[in-house]
Amino acid sequence: MAATVVRYLRSVGSPLPGPEPVEALPPPELRAVGADERAPVGPGEFRAVLGNFASGVTVITAPPGADEDGPAGFACQSFASLSLDPPLVTFMVARTSTTWPRIARAGVFCVNILGAEQGGLCRSFAVSGADKFAGVAHSPAPVTGSPQLDAVPAWIDCRIHAVHTGGDHLIVVGRVLALGADGEGDPLLFHRGRFGRFGD
């Protein structure tokens, strides 16, 4: 299926990526909250209320750069489809992330959508300072070469299309170059600080 999608994208003139790095951080003046502003709600209340929104869970990966030992990746709950024409997806990443600059330098990424039994895989990519790929089987995504994790229900191979400011996070938009799904199994869900799945 992946090869079919790549051939289609080529036939309609969608450019295939030569990985181009992007600016990891927008200019400081684009921050959404000024130094003289006061937030209307506290972070604890914000997390408690927004935690009622259940979301899927992904792992965002990118190939290693020229001077890097291995690929980059992090667990990401803030992911969504964005546009059909052109095909775009988006994810949000904290400005303080140490993984994001590596993805920005790569200019490409793969979204790995996790299944209900992959909470452990998510936890391994949520830690900082460890070899997140240790013992994790993966293969290169068909267009960008970003790590496509084995046994995930679905994956989306992308080029970075745009990066926008979003307060203490960045909003990353990806142009879809290839994608695939096995159509089986329940998704991994995150709700009120815990992993879950659909009930019977």
Side-chain angles (χ1 to χ4, degrees), residues 49-192:
V49 172
L50 272 294
N52 287 279
F53 179 72
S55 71
V57 185
T58 70
V59 170
I60 308 293
T61 61
D67 299 321
E68 296 168 346
D69 293 332
F74 74 101
C76 180
Q77 169 198 356
S78 301
F79 165 78
S81 61
L82 181 61
S83 167
L84 284 173
D85 185 15
L88 302 175
V89 296
T90 183
F91 70 85
M92 277 60 80
V93 60
R95 286 172 176 265
T96 55
S97 168
T98 57
T99 303
W100 163 244
R102 296 182 60 193
I103 297 173
R105 286 193 294 271
V108 296
F109 63 90
C110 182
V111 181
N112 295 271
I113 297 174
L114 301 188
E117 307 301 329
Q118 295 179 313
L121 183 61
C122 177
R123 290 185 187 94
S124 69
F125 277 89
V127 298
S128 180
D131 181 2
K132 301 177 184 180
F133 287 86
V136 177
H138 59 86
S139 57
V143 181
T144 72
S146 301
Q148 179 186 324
L149 306 184
D150 286 8
V152 295
W155 55 270
I156 309 160
D157 198 16
C158 303
R159 182 184 72 237
I160 295 176
H161 183 72
V163 181
H164 305 285
T165 188
D168 57 10
H169 277 59
L170 299 172
I171 304 164
V172 182
V173 178
R175 177 84 177 235
V176 177
L177 304 173
L179 72 172
D182 64 19
E184 297 181 2
D186 292 333
L188 180 64
L189 300 179
F190 191 74
H191 180 244
R192 293 183 177 176

